[in-house]
Amino acid sequence: MDAVRRRAWLVVVCAVLAAVCAWALAPVALSALGTGGAVATGTEAGRAGRQAEQLGVPSPDLLLTVDRPGEGGGGTGTVREDAGAVVKTLSRHPAVRAVWSARTTGNTWLRSKDGRSLLIGVRLRGTDKERKTAAPDVVAAARSAASGARVEPSGEVWTNREIDETIEHDLRRAELIAAPVLFLLLVLAYGSVVAALLPVLVAVTAVGCTLPVLGVLAQWINVSRVAVSAASAVGLGMAVDYSLFLLARVREEMARGVDRETALTAALRSSGRSVAFSAAAVTTCLATAMVVPVPLLRGLSLAGMVVTVLSALVALLVLPSCLRLLGPRVQAWDPLARWRRTNTGDDSCFWRRTTRTVTARPLLAGGLAVLALVLMAVPFTHARLGLVDERTLPPSASAASAAARVDHEFAVPPERVLSVVVTGPGARDAVPAYAARLNGLPGVAGVRVERTVRSAEAGKGEAAVLLVASAAPPGTSEAETLVRRVREESAPGAVAVAGRAAEIVDSSTAVCGALPTCGLLLAVGLMVLLGLFTRSPVAPLKAVAVAAVSLGAGLGAMVLLFQDGHGRAVLGDFTAPGALDASTLLFVLFITLALSVDYEVFLLGRIREEYERSHDNRGSIVDGIARTGRLMTSAAAAVAVSTAAMGMSHVALLKLIGIGIALGALVDAVLVRGVLVPAVMAALGPANWWTPQGSRIARRTAVRGMTAHAKEGEG
């Protein structure tokens, strides 16, 4: 026993040292993380943007609006001087690659409709992170150059910077709000203050150790700072699940009269196996998202994978050591003991009655559950994929208000401009006729021939860059239709189209194109893992089918709340852009699926244990859910509390992540695991546990029985 305690102390001390070192390295790791990355890689829009920049027509990643408030039309000459001073100053700035204005390019689209404001486009050097870091210094230099004017920044870089800063602030506030509620819930679920601190220890250690790992991975992969919030949410959810199921199993074994060490060994053998398979299944779910060529989604998925693996390791190694060291003290300080009638791991009368009712009429109960989930999924039929922009910020945010002002005051806002690059022999001479054809397309507000050159870099000797103004903002069906029409229009050479609308079209196409491969890998991975876990090919098929129905319901809810804007009455005012950011939406779906698989593993594991003891299909379903129902609802409630606090954020992107995961966890734990799964399993009957090996054994047994019977008859 002394040797066991010494090993336990060694494990705990090593874990504490690792956590302390990890949190000490956290600032360095965070500084290595990037920003943005919502646009798919390897698309035509990306290639066209690089071509246009090589030909001297870059797209702005920082916009500066220059005006003199309070001056009339006579002040426009002064504004031109201010804009000229800004261009001259920024052209010498080391962080600026290119800077232009209406005066330097002759582009009248950079002048407001009343002539009182001018736009200056700025292209910064370096990576997304370096541009974001340099942006405040560039804006400060511009304001110093035009000290008598008002200079308002907007654009992608400035928007991403403000989104990151707002998310950081809102996450701290959400944690402060959720922490006391979550801890009270954990005390209620675990039965004591000491026990409630255990999942916090697991989460803090796992999330803390995740940060340096992400910092290292960020040297090769674009990992956004938003991944930190994702890691925190996933880590807390996995820590609560793993700790809760292990601790509840220890209590259950001890209630049978065995000592603590024997109970812990039995819990690790049963629930510990479920933890390992759950972590493998969750990691598989998130790993398949790496197929989608969107850096933001890949970074989010990578963070979820790392924190899941670390949560399982900490739960399986550190948590048992803590239980050995604490002994009976793990149940100390229960402030709710006076009102507590049962513990979380005890048999639940509510879930026993519910499951008996469901399994008595499985087709009716299952049909009603499927109907409810399908109705929830109906709004997904008009879902639209988009990209995150300034509309995810509240209208009062500086980047959002500046962008709204540009959209209102300028006839052709830069976000509506498509850059069309034409390359090929004779492209220069045919450009005027081509520009006239483009100008005649429906939805085109104007066309400018920005540059025609003879360029070896263009690939075919001659090239031209045209700017096409869309009458509709990006993200709308009209803008997407225009992008396709421009690409399909006959041209004097090869055509490539860039611009915000083109990025949205190409990113949506890339995501939708990767989803079949992603879904196939996901189905195969889950089938293999759940097949190994249950030793039956039927249970994995049922689990994948049920998960698909559950995901549809989550998708529909997010479309209804955030795309259509019906959640503003409950979640606070935010801008409904009419589309959902593709990477964020997919991440929420993968996390929801991961939680679904997590609950499925623990539920199936327990039901199978009961079935192997009794060989009574319905009885094992009732007993398994009665034992795990309260555990799953407690775990789902903990995830919902920790993530729903994000719904109070001022950033719609963070609202979507928090509310989406919370709704998915609750719907899956209550409606799916509590009603649909037992109904399906009851309807399938013994087929739930059919295996090819068992079928062969049954046939051999039947043949032996028939042979023996025949011999008896001959005798």
Side-chain angles (χ1 to χ4, degrees), residues 71-86:
E71 292 191 3
T76 54
T78 306
V79 171
R80 284 202 280 283
E81 292 173 0
D82 291 330
V86 170

Side-chain angles (χ1 to χ4, degrees), residues 359-419:
T359 54
R361 296 184 176 180
L363 295 180
L364 176 61
L368 291 175
V370 170
L371 178 62
L373 292 171
V374 168
L375 289 176
M376 292 177 64
V378 167
F380 181 62
T381 55
H382 64 272
R384 290 181 56 82
L385 297 181
L387 294 177
V388 64
D389 55 26
E390 71 281 345
R391 289 175 294 180
T392 196
L393 291 166
S396 58
S398 62
S401 60
R405 183 185 167 207
V406 170
D407 189 62
H408 175 71
E409 294 184 1
F410 290 80
V412 182
E415 68 167 10
R416 299 192 186 190
V417 175
L418 300 176
S419 298

Side-chain angles (χ1 to χ4, degrees), residues 183-348:
F183 190 71
L184 180 62
L185 180 63
L186 292 177
V187 172
L188 180 65
Y190 285 83
S192 79
V193 172
V194 175
L197 289 172
L198 293 177
V200 177
L201 172 66
V202 174
V204 168
T205 305
V207 174
C209 293
T210 298
L211 295 180
V213 176
L214 294 180
V216 173
L217 294 174
Q219 307 303 317
W220 298 279
I221 301 174
N222 186 359
V223 181
S224 172
R225 289 177 71 95
V226 181
V228 176
S229 61
S232 300
V234 176
L236 181 60
M238 295 298 104
V240 169
D241 284 1
Y242 298 159
S243 304
L244 186 59
F245 280 90
L246 282 171
L247 188 58
R249 196 55 185 267
V250 170
R251 287 179 179 173
E252 183 180 337
E253 295 295 332
M254 290 182 66
R256 295 174 180 172
V258 301
D259 61 89
R260 186 173 299 275
E261 186 61 32
T262 303
L264 184 56
T265 302
L268 288 173
R269 187 171 55 249
S270 55
S271 293
R273 178 173 178 268
S274 297
V275 168
F277 270 95
S278 170
V282 171
T283 304
T284 299
C285 291
L286 296 173
T288 56
M290 301 293 285
V291 176
V292 183
V294 178
L296 178 59
L297 177 61
R298 289 176 173 176
L300 291 170
S301 301
L302 196 61
M305 291 161 56
V306 173
V307 79
T308 297
V309 172
L310 290 176
S311 296
L313 289 175
V314 175
L316 293 175
L317 297 176
V318 181
L319 184 60
S321 297
C322 291
L323 294 177
R324 289 187 174 102
L325 294 176
L326 289 170
R329 291 186 294 274
V330 76
Q331 298 302 323
W333 302 341
D334 183 4
L336 304 175
R338 180 181 302 177
W339 302 278
R340 190 184 302 279
R341 296 182 179 179
T342 58
N343 290 316
T344 304
D346 294 343
D347 191 281
S348 169

Side-chain angles (χ1 to χ4, degrees), residues 66-68 79 81-83 85-86 89 140-151:
V66 182
D67 70 341
R68 286 183 171 260
V79 171
E81 292 173 0
D82 291 330
V86 170
T89 299
R143 286 172 172 165
S144 297
S147 55
R150 177 174 62 180
V151 179

